[in-house]
Amino acid sequence: MNLKQYDDDALIEAEFLGCILKDAEKMDEHCTAFDKHDFVHPMHFAIWEAATTLHRGNIPITLKSVCETDRNIDREYLQRIVSHVVSSHLAKFYAEKMTMNSTYRKMQAYASKLLDIVNEREKETPSELLAEADNLLLRLRRKETSSM
């Protein structure tokens, strides 16, 4: 992933998290949608993890409660991402963008694995090579359908 892709993906994550922090009811729609691999920015995953912990415990999701759940989260950063949110109604839009970005990153990783196999000539026959490609795509498909 190049730096621009990283920045764009991190910005989408920040916007999504800002929507959740601005209107905690949006967590009801998205609380099981993401895991660690769906985030490029470690702080964003920490915020997500804190928010889901609070949500599961029926504790209100506020800037204060998120920071108390994980002391490494910077309250000023939370305030900045919330202040950039135009409308919390965009949470679904940003969630869909995050899912798409995550899928692209997973496909890129699998394509890289497949390229390594091709470059190293690891497979004995064309059918073994094609079976490995099918296997990688099947794993991606399973991950994506299980997260829907």
Side-chain angles (χ1 to χ4, degrees):
M1 173 188 310
N2 68 39
L3 188 57
K4 179 164 178 9
Q5 286 173 315
Y6 177 88
D7 289 345
D8 291 348
D9 289 4
L11 181 61
I12 295 292
E13 293 170 9
E15 293 289 341
F16 171 72
L17 292 168
C19 291
I20 297 297
L21 293 167
K22 194 168 198 156
D23 181 0
E25 289 183 15
K26 298 295 179 193
M27 268 307 268
D28 294 335
E29 300 170 38
H30 305 288
C31 65
T32 60
F34 302 108
D35 64 24
K36 184 178 185 174
H37 304 291
D38 295 312
F39 291 87
V40 294
H41 195 298
M43 178 63 73
H44 292 164
F45 177 67
I47 295 166
W48 176 252
E49 201 170 37
T52 55
T53 297
L54 293 165
H55 185 261
R56 282 192 302 264
N58 290 320
I59 300 166
I61 300 170
T62 64
L63 301 183
K64 182 180 178 189
S65 64
V66 168
C67 290
E68 288 174 351
T69 302
D70 184 335
R71 302 256 183 231
N72 294 317
I73 295 173
D74 180 11
R75 186 180 177 108
E76 286 181 26
Y77 182 70
L78 291 180
Q79 290 170 327
R80 273 198 320 267
I81 65 174
V82 170
S83 71
H84 284 109
V85 172
V86 175
S87 170
S88 61
H89 295 295
L90 293 172
K92 183 177 181 180
F93 169 79
Y94 289 122
E96 289 170 355
K97 287 283 201 187
M98 280 182 59
T99 300
M100 193 65 190
N101 291 343
S102 178
T103 302
Y104 276 127
R105 289 191 306 273
K106 289 171 188 168
M107 287 183 73
Q108 191 174 27
Y110 286 146
S112 179
K113 286 180 188 178
L114 194 54
L115 188 58
D116 288 346
I117 291 168
V118 169
N119 289 336
E120 298 297 320
R121 307 285 186 191
E122 292 178 9
K123 301 301 176 189
E124 298 288 325
T125 65
S127 60
E128 284 180 346
L129 180 60
L130 293 171
E132 184 63 25
D134 286 342
N135 182 38
L136 290 170
L137 289 173
L138 182 61
R139 284 179 21 203
L140 177 64
R141 202 170 297 121
R142 281 187 188 140
K143 286 181 183 179
E144 293 312 307
T145 55
S146 70
S147 67
M148 292 179 177

